[in-house]
Short mmCIF file of all heavy atoms in Angstrom, two decimals:
data_model
loop_
_atom_site.label_atom_id
_atom_site.label_comp_id
_atom_site.label_asym_id
_atom_site.label_seq_id
_atom_site.Cartn_x
_atom_site.Cartn_y
_atom_site.Cartn_z
N SER A 1 42.49 -7.02 36.19
CA SER A 1 42.15 -6.60 37.56
C SER A 1 43.15 -5.57 38.08
O SER A 1 42.77 -4.57 38.68
CB SER A 1 42.11 -7.81 38.50
OG SER A 1 41.01 -8.65 38.21
N LEU A 2 44.43 -5.83 37.85
CA LEU A 2 45.46 -4.88 38.29
C LEU A 2 45.28 -3.54 37.60
O LEU A 2 45.41 -2.47 38.23
CB LEU A 2 46.85 -5.45 37.99
CG LEU A 2 47.26 -6.68 38.79
CD1 LEU A 2 48.59 -7.22 38.29
CD2 LEU A 2 47.35 -6.37 40.29
N GLN A 3 44.93 -3.56 36.33
CA GLN A 3 44.73 -2.31 35.60
C GLN A 3 43.53 -1.55 36.15
O GLN A 3 43.59 -0.32 36.33
CB GLN A 3 44.53 -2.61 34.11
CG GLN A 3 44.40 -1.37 33.25
CD GLN A 3 44.31 -1.70 31.77
OE1 GLN A 3 44.14 -2.86 31.40
NE2 GLN A 3 44.41 -0.69 30.94
N ARG A 4 42.43 -2.26 36.43
CA ARG A 4 41.24 -1.59 36.95
C ARG A 4 41.50 -0.95 38.31
O ARG A 4 40.98 0.13 38.61
CB ARG A 4 40.07 -2.59 37.05
CG ARG A 4 39.39 -2.88 35.73
CD ARG A 4 38.12 -3.68 35.92
NE ARG A 4 38.38 -5.05 36.31
CZ ARG A 4 38.50 -6.06 35.47
NH1 ARG A 4 38.39 -5.86 34.16
NH2 ARG A 4 38.72 -7.28 35.90
N MET A 5 42.28 -1.62 39.15
CA MET A 5 42.53 -1.09 40.49
C MET A 5 43.73 -0.15 40.54
O MET A 5 43.96 0.51 41.56
CB MET A 5 42.73 -2.25 41.48
CG MET A 5 41.45 -3.01 41.75
SD MET A 5 41.61 -4.25 43.08
CE MET A 5 42.47 -5.58 42.20
N GLY A 6 44.51 -0.11 39.47
CA GLY A 6 45.69 0.75 39.46
C GLY A 6 46.80 0.23 40.36
O GLY A 6 47.53 1.01 40.97
N LEU A 7 46.96 -1.09 40.41
CA LEU A 7 47.94 -1.72 41.29
C LEU A 7 49.02 -2.43 40.48
O LEU A 7 48.79 -2.87 39.36
CB LEU A 7 47.25 -2.75 42.19
CG LEU A 7 46.24 -2.22 43.22
CD1 LEU A 7 45.55 -3.38 43.91
CD2 LEU A 7 46.92 -1.31 44.23
N ASP A 8 50.19 -2.57 41.09
CA ASP A 8 51.26 -3.37 40.51
C ASP A 8 51.13 -4.84 40.91
O ASP A 8 51.62 -5.72 40.20
CB ASP A 8 52.63 -2.85 40.97
CG ASP A 8 52.92 -1.45 40.47
OD1 ASP A 8 52.52 -1.14 39.33
OD2 ASP A 8 53.53 -0.67 41.22
N TYR A 9 50.48 -5.09 42.04
CA TYR A 9 50.31 -6.45 42.54
C TYR A 9 49.11 -6.51 43.46
O TYR A 9 48.68 -5.49 44.01
CB TYR A 9 51.56 -6.92 43.30
CG TYR A 9 51.75 -6.20 44.63
CD1 TYR A 9 51.23 -6.74 45.81
CD2 TYR A 9 52.42 -4.99 44.70
CE1 TYR A 9 51.38 -6.08 47.03
CE2 TYR A 9 52.57 -4.32 45.91
CZ TYR A 9 52.05 -4.87 47.07
OH TYR A 9 52.19 -4.21 48.28
N VAL A 10 48.55 -7.69 43.62
CA VAL A 10 47.58 -7.95 44.68
C VAL A 10 48.27 -8.84 45.72
O VAL A 10 49.23 -9.54 45.41
CB VAL A 10 46.30 -8.64 44.17
CG1 VAL A 10 45.48 -7.68 43.33
CG2 VAL A 10 46.61 -9.92 43.41
N ASP A 11 47.77 -8.79 46.91
CA ASP A 11 48.37 -9.61 47.97
C ASP A 11 47.96 -11.07 47.85
O ASP A 11 48.77 -11.97 48.13
CB ASP A 11 47.97 -9.05 49.34
CG ASP A 11 48.50 -7.64 49.53
OD1 ASP A 11 49.66 -7.49 49.91
OD2 ASP A 11 47.75 -6.67 49.25
N ILE A 12 46.71 -11.32 47.45
CA ILE A 12 46.24 -12.70 47.29
C ILE A 12 45.50 -12.80 45.96
O ILE A 12 44.63 -11.98 45.65
CB ILE A 12 45.27 -13.12 48.42
CG1 ILE A 12 45.87 -12.88 49.81
CG2 ILE A 12 44.89 -14.59 48.26
CD1 ILE A 12 44.87 -13.06 50.95
N PHE A 13 45.83 -13.82 45.17
CA PHE A 13 45.11 -14.12 43.95
C PHE A 13 44.52 -15.52 44.08
O PHE A 13 45.24 -16.48 44.37
CB PHE A 13 46.03 -14.05 42.73
CG PHE A 13 45.35 -14.30 41.42
CD1 PHE A 13 44.16 -13.66 41.10
CD2 PHE A 13 45.90 -15.18 40.49
CE1 PHE A 13 43.52 -13.89 39.88
CE2 PHE A 13 45.28 -15.41 39.27
CZ PHE A 13 44.09 -14.76 38.96
N TYR A 14 43.20 -15.62 43.90
CA TYR A 14 42.49 -16.89 44.06
C TYR A 14 42.02 -17.46 42.73
O TYR A 14 41.63 -16.71 41.82
CB TYR A 14 41.19 -16.67 44.85
CG TYR A 14 41.28 -16.31 46.29
CD1 TYR A 14 41.34 -14.98 46.70
CD2 TYR A 14 41.22 -17.30 47.28
CE1 TYR A 14 41.35 -14.63 48.04
CE2 TYR A 14 41.22 -16.96 48.63
CZ TYR A 14 41.30 -15.63 49.00
OH TYR A 14 41.31 -15.29 50.34
N HIS A 15 42.01 -18.79 42.65
CA HIS A 15 41.14 -19.42 41.68
C HIS A 15 39.77 -19.49 42.33
O HIS A 15 39.60 -20.14 43.36
CB HIS A 15 41.64 -20.81 41.29
CG HIS A 15 40.88 -21.38 40.14
ND1 HIS A 15 40.67 -22.73 39.98
CD2 HIS A 15 40.26 -20.78 39.07
CE1 HIS A 15 39.96 -22.94 38.87
NE2 HIS A 15 39.70 -21.77 38.32
N HIS A 16 38.79 -18.83 41.71
CA HIS A 16 37.50 -18.58 42.34
C HIS A 16 36.64 -19.83 42.48
O HIS A 16 35.75 -19.89 43.32
CB HIS A 16 36.75 -17.53 41.50
CG HIS A 16 35.81 -16.69 42.28
ND1 HIS A 16 35.27 -15.52 41.79
CD2 HIS A 16 35.30 -16.80 43.52
CE1 HIS A 16 34.48 -14.97 42.68
NE2 HIS A 16 34.47 -15.72 43.74
N ARG A 17 36.88 -20.82 41.64
CA ARG A 17 36.12 -22.07 41.71
C ARG A 17 36.85 -23.13 40.91
O ARG A 17 37.53 -22.84 39.93
CB ARG A 17 34.73 -21.89 41.12
CG ARG A 17 34.75 -21.60 39.62
CD ARG A 17 33.39 -21.72 38.97
NE ARG A 17 33.54 -21.65 37.52
CZ ARG A 17 33.40 -22.68 36.71
NH1 ARG A 17 33.14 -23.88 37.19
NH2 ARG A 17 33.53 -22.53 35.40
N PRO A 18 36.72 -24.40 41.27
CA PRO A 18 37.32 -25.46 40.46
C PRO A 18 36.61 -25.57 39.12
O PRO A 18 35.43 -25.25 38.99
CB PRO A 18 37.12 -26.72 41.31
CG PRO A 18 35.99 -26.39 42.21
CD PRO A 18 36.06 -24.93 42.48
N ASP A 19 37.34 -26.00 38.11
CA ASP A 19 36.80 -26.11 36.75
C ASP A 19 37.02 -27.54 36.26
O ASP A 19 38.15 -27.96 36.01
CB ASP A 19 37.50 -25.11 35.83
CG ASP A 19 36.94 -25.11 34.42
OD1 ASP A 19 36.06 -25.95 34.12
OD2 ASP A 19 37.37 -24.26 33.62
N ALA A 20 35.93 -28.28 36.11
CA ALA A 20 36.02 -29.68 35.69
C ALA A 20 36.47 -29.82 34.25
O ALA A 20 36.83 -30.92 33.82
CB ALA A 20 34.66 -30.36 35.88
N ASP A 21 36.46 -28.75 33.47
CA ASP A 21 36.84 -28.81 32.07
C ASP A 21 38.32 -28.53 31.83
O ASP A 21 38.80 -28.62 30.70
CB ASP A 21 36.02 -27.80 31.26
CG ASP A 21 34.54 -28.16 31.21
OD1 ASP A 21 34.24 -29.36 31.22
OD2 ASP A 21 33.71 -27.24 31.18
N VAL A 22 39.03 -28.14 32.88
CA VAL A 22 40.45 -27.81 32.75
C VAL A 22 41.24 -28.63 33.76
O VAL A 22 40.84 -28.75 34.92
CB VAL A 22 40.69 -26.30 32.97
CG1 VAL A 22 42.18 -25.97 32.97
CG2 VAL A 22 39.97 -25.48 31.91
N ASP A 23 42.35 -29.20 33.33
CA ASP A 23 43.18 -29.97 34.23
C ASP A 23 43.61 -29.11 35.42
O ASP A 23 44.02 -27.96 35.25
CB ASP A 23 44.41 -30.48 33.49
CG ASP A 23 45.22 -31.45 34.32
OD1 ASP A 23 44.84 -32.63 34.38
OD2 ASP A 23 46.22 -31.01 34.91
N LEU A 24 43.52 -29.67 36.61
CA LEU A 24 43.83 -28.92 37.83
C LEU A 24 45.25 -28.38 37.80
O LEU A 24 45.52 -27.28 38.28
CB LEU A 24 43.62 -29.82 39.06
CG LEU A 24 43.86 -29.19 40.42
CD1 LEU A 24 42.95 -27.99 40.65
CD2 LEU A 24 43.68 -30.22 41.53
N GLU A 25 46.17 -29.14 37.22
CA GLU A 25 47.56 -28.69 37.18
C GLU A 25 47.71 -27.39 36.38
O GLU A 25 48.53 -26.54 36.73
CB GLU A 25 48.46 -29.78 36.59
CG GLU A 25 49.91 -29.39 36.54
CD GLU A 25 50.84 -30.45 37.10
OE1 GLU A 25 50.35 -31.53 37.52
OE2 GLU A 25 52.05 -30.20 37.15
N GLU A 26 46.94 -27.23 35.32
CA GLU A 26 47.02 -25.99 34.54
C GLU A 26 46.57 -24.80 35.38
O GLU A 26 47.20 -23.74 35.37
CB GLU A 26 46.16 -26.08 33.28
CG GLU A 26 46.17 -24.79 32.47
CD GLU A 26 45.46 -24.88 31.14
OE1 GLU A 26 45.24 -26.02 30.64
OE2 GLU A 26 45.15 -23.83 30.56
N SER A 27 45.46 -24.95 36.10
CA SER A 27 44.97 -23.86 36.95
C SER A 27 45.96 -23.52 38.04
O SER A 27 46.23 -22.35 38.31
CB SER A 27 43.62 -24.24 37.56
OG SER A 27 42.65 -24.51 36.57
N MET A 28 46.53 -24.55 38.67
CA MET A 28 47.47 -24.30 39.76
C MET A 28 48.78 -23.71 39.23
O MET A 28 49.39 -22.86 39.89
CB MET A 28 47.74 -25.59 40.53
CG MET A 28 46.53 -26.11 41.30
SD MET A 28 45.83 -24.93 42.50
CE MET A 28 44.42 -24.29 41.55
N THR A 29 49.21 -24.13 38.04
CA THR A 29 50.41 -23.55 37.46
C THR A 29 50.21 -22.07 37.17
O THR A 29 51.12 -21.25 37.36
CB THR A 29 50.82 -24.30 36.19
OG1 THR A 29 51.05 -25.68 36.50
CG2 THR A 29 52.09 -23.72 35.59
N ALA A 30 49.00 -21.71 36.72
CA ALA A 30 48.70 -20.29 36.49
C ALA A 30 48.78 -19.50 37.79
O ALA A 30 49.35 -18.40 37.84
CB ALA A 30 47.32 -20.14 35.86
N LEU A 31 48.23 -20.07 38.87
CA LEU A 31 48.33 -19.40 40.18
C LEU A 31 49.79 -19.24 40.59
O LEU A 31 50.21 -18.17 41.06
CB LEU A 31 47.60 -20.22 41.25
CG LEU A 31 46.10 -20.02 41.46
CD1 LEU A 31 45.64 -20.88 42.64
CD2 LEU A 31 45.75 -18.56 41.70
N SER A 32 50.55 -20.31 40.47
CA SER A 32 51.95 -20.27 40.86
C SER A 32 52.72 -19.23 40.05
O SER A 32 53.52 -18.45 40.60
CB SER A 32 52.58 -21.65 40.67
OG SER A 32 53.96 -21.63 40.99
N ASP A 33 52.47 -19.19 38.75
CA ASP A 33 53.18 -18.23 37.90
C ASP A 33 52.77 -16.79 38.20
O ASP A 33 53.58 -15.87 38.04
CB ASP A 33 52.94 -18.56 36.43
CG ASP A 33 53.68 -19.81 35.98
OD1 ASP A 33 54.53 -20.30 36.76
OD2 ASP A 33 53.42 -20.29 34.86
N ALA A 34 51.52 -16.60 38.64
CA ALA A 34 51.09 -15.25 39.03
C ALA A 34 51.93 -14.75 40.20
O ALA A 34 52.34 -13.59 40.25
CB ALA A 34 49.61 -15.25 39.39
N VAL A 35 52.21 -15.65 41.15
CA VAL A 35 53.03 -15.28 42.30
C VAL A 35 54.49 -15.09 41.88
O VAL A 35 55.14 -14.10 42.25
CB VAL A 35 52.92 -16.36 43.41
CG1 VAL A 35 53.91 -16.09 44.53
CG2 VAL A 35 51.49 -16.41 43.96
N LYS A 36 55.01 -16.01 41.09
CA LYS A 36 56.42 -15.91 40.68
C LYS A 36 56.69 -14.69 39.81
O LYS A 36 57.82 -14.18 39.77
CB LYS A 36 56.83 -17.19 39.97
CG LYS A 36 56.90 -18.40 40.91
CD LYS A 36 57.24 -19.68 40.19
CE LYS A 36 57.31 -20.85 41.17
NZ LYS A 36 57.59 -22.14 40.50
N SER A 37 55.66 -14.19 39.13
CA SER A 37 55.81 -12.98 38.31
C SER A 37 55.81 -11.71 39.14
O SER A 37 56.14 -10.64 38.62
CB SER A 37 54.68 -12.91 37.28
OG SER A 37 53.45 -12.58 37.90
N GLY A 38 55.41 -11.81 40.40
CA GLY A 38 55.32 -10.64 41.26
C GLY A 38 53.99 -9.92 41.19
O GLY A 38 53.79 -8.91 41.87
N LYS A 39 53.05 -10.45 40.39
CA LYS A 39 51.74 -9.80 40.28
C LYS A 39 50.81 -10.18 41.42
O LYS A 39 49.76 -9.57 41.60
CB LYS A 39 51.11 -10.14 38.93
CG LYS A 39 51.87 -9.56 37.75
CD LYS A 39 51.26 -9.97 36.42
CE LYS A 39 52.08 -9.41 35.25
NZ LYS A 39 51.51 -9.82 33.94
N ALA A 40 51.17 -11.19 42.17
CA ALA A 40 50.47 -11.59 43.39
C ALA A 40 51.52 -12.05 44.40
O ALA A 40 52.56 -12.59 44.01
CB ALA A 40 49.47 -12.71 43.12
N LEU A 41 51.24 -11.84 45.68
CA LEU A 41 52.19 -12.26 46.71
C LEU A 41 51.85 -13.64 47.28
O LEU A 41 52.76 -14.36 47.69
CB LEU A 41 52.22 -11.22 47.83
CG LEU A 41 52.58 -9.79 47.42
CD1 LEU A 41 52.72 -8.91 48.66
CD2 LEU A 41 53.84 -9.75 46.58
N TYR A 42 50.57 -13.97 47.30
CA TYR A 42 50.13 -15.27 47.82
C TYR A 42 49.05 -15.83 46.90
O TYR A 42 48.39 -15.09 46.17
CB TYR A 42 49.55 -15.13 49.23
CG TYR A 42 50.53 -14.65 50.28
CD1 TYR A 42 50.62 -13.30 50.61
CD2 TYR A 42 51.36 -15.54 50.95
CE1 TYR A 42 51.51 -12.85 51.57
CE2 TYR A 42 52.25 -15.11 51.92
CZ TYR A 42 52.31 -13.76 52.22
OH TYR A 42 53.20 -13.32 53.18
N ALA A 43 48.86 -17.15 46.97
CA ALA A 43 47.86 -17.82 46.15
C ALA A 43 46.83 -18.50 47.03
O ALA A 43 47.14 -19.01 48.11
CB ALA A 43 48.52 -18.85 45.23
N GLY A 44 45.57 -18.53 46.54
CA GLY A 44 44.50 -19.18 47.27
C GLY A 44 43.49 -19.81 46.33
O GLY A 44 43.54 -19.62 45.11
#
């Protein structure tokens, strides 16, 4: 997404829908790491 938009970061990165096939902690850890990497400023 960052490459398509030509951005270094987005202000908000969302998990678009819950996934019953993946543990919630894995999805939330991915969101958290996106913010900690600087590629997103906030998580939703």
Side-chain angles (χ1 to χ4, degrees):
S1 290
L2 293 174
Q3 184 175 11
R4 282 189 289 268
M5 290 187 282
L7 294 174
D8 296 323
Y9 70 92
V10 290
D11 297 278
I12 307 170
F13 182 48
Y14 291 90
H15 188 211
H16 209 165
R17 66 167 189 107
D19 183 355
D21 293 328
V22 174
D23 188 81
L24 181 60
E25 181 131 1
E26 178 173 342
S27 301
M28 293 303 100
T29 301
L31 274 184
S32 178
D33 287 350
V35 172
K36 290 177 179 178
S37 72
K39 294 178 182 179
L41 302 186
Y42 297 95

